Amino acid sequence: MAERESVPAPVTVVTGASEGLGPALAYEFARAGHALLLVARGTAALKAAAEKIRGETGVRVGIHSADLATRAGCKSVVAALGRQGLYGEFLVNNAGVGLSGPLAEYEHDALMRLVDLNIRALSDLTRRLLPDMIARDSGGILNVASLAGFMPGPYQAAYFASKAYVISLSEALAHELALTNVRVSVFAPGPLATRFHERIGSQSAFYLRFQGVESVEQVARTAYAHFMRGRRVIVPGVVNTLSAALQRVTPHTLLVPFAAWLLKLREESAHV
Ligand SMILES: NC(=O)c1ccc[n+]([C@@H]2O[C@H](COP(=O)([O-])OP(=O)(O)OC[C@H]3O[C@@H](n4cnc5c(N)ncnc54)[C@H](OP(=O)(O)O)[C@@H]3O)[C@@H](O)[C@H]2O)c1
């Protein structure tokens, strides 16, 4: 007798899910009953995040360790889904890195890694998982950008530009899919309380004092709720919403010097 083929089970694939915003977004999907596949490089941190979410929600949480800044890493996500008998119902493209300081002084490989992760991996995973979502006429993609994506950002130039790409791609894609049941949203929070700023050495820049940081749990809740309601551009909070609107209408002759003032690293407090 022929063996019965097992039907793949749906999961939400969350990238950058080992720490920071990723686990908080993953938790929101899990809380609503979605099984998860958490992706990042660090296996130990992924396991810890998975155990915590599983313990709190009872949903199935798998992990996959991959360097998404490589083409092979992105490809391996699809292979992992296949091996585990899963398909990507939802994709949360959250993994991202930043760099601060004058672009000419960046380590060359670090700049290429930023482009590879923030732009190439997000596009790659979208292209790999989207056709199946369209074929099923369900599911969707939540791309994580930033308020940074609404303006050029001197001293974080490549990071801001990468997030502008994410916003542009997501809005265009949402339009392309408007007549389907596949939703695409872009999430653009302001500064968050994660290790991101410490990692890029930007603690001395004025933007953190000017804007303050928000908790990942709070913004993740907003992201999930609005994604499920089908909002295309999700900016959490009144202040951030106003800020995004202002960034969109302010002439760049004024906006870019202001952004430079916010983002420039201040020598006197660089080692705080
Ligand atoms: N923090 C903020 O203020 C802020 C504001 C707006 C938007 N965002 C955006 O939110 C997203 C998450 O930021 P975050 O603050 O949570 O950052 P984070 O705390 O630095 O966490 C980054 C996550 O991405 C993973 N990651 C990094 N490089 C990777 C790679 N090559 N392959 C696979 N995974 C990788 C990290 O795990 P491994 O190191 O183990 O791989 C980690 O899970 C990013 O897209 C960021 O641009 C952040």
Side-chain angles (χ1 to χ4, degrees), residues 15-23 39-42 45 66-69 93-97 117-118 144-147 159 163 188-197 199 216:
T15 71
S18 60
E19 73 166 277
L21 178 60
V39 184
R41 289 168 304 178
D67 181 355
L68 299 176
N93 274 313
N94 163 75
V97 288
L117 185 64
N118 297 12
V144 177
S146 164
L147 270 193
Y159 177 70
K163 294 302 181 181
L192 303 172
T194 71
R195 292 202 297 145
F196 178 90
H197 310 279
R199 259 194 256 285
V216 290

Side-chain angles (χ1 to χ4, degrees), residues 242-261:
L242 278 174
S243 170
L246 270 175
Q247 287 173 47
R248 283 181 146 168
V249 298
T250 306
H252 279 199
T253 45
L254 297 174
L255 188 63
V256 177
F258 177 64
W261 178 79

Side-chain angles (χ1 to χ4, degrees), residues 11-74:
V11 279
T12 298
V13 178
V14 184
T15 71
S18 60
E19 73 166 277
L21 178 60
L25 289 170
Y27 172 76
E28 290 304 316
F29 280 83
R31 208 157 64 99
H34 300 280
L36 300 172
L37 181 68
L38 307 183
V39 184
R41 289 168 304 178
T43 310
L46 271 178
K47 274 188 187 156
E51 261 166 42
K52 187 162 185 286
I53 296 173
R54 205 179 292 125
E56 287 170 2
T57 64
V59 303
R60 181 198 153 129
V61 187
I63 62 166
H64 177 61
S65 180
D67 181 355
L68 299 176
T70 67
R71 191 180 276 248
C74 291

Side-chain angles (χ1 to χ4, degrees), residues 98-115 153-161 200 263 265:
L99 282 171
S100 64
L103 187 136
E105 295 173 14
Y106 291 168
E107 191 206 322
H108 190 270
D109 284 351
L111 175 59
M112 292 302 99
R113 266 199 308 277
L114 183 153
V115 173
Y155 308 111
Q156 287 194 32
Y159 177 70
F160 274 53
I200 68 172
L263 296 166
L265 303 182

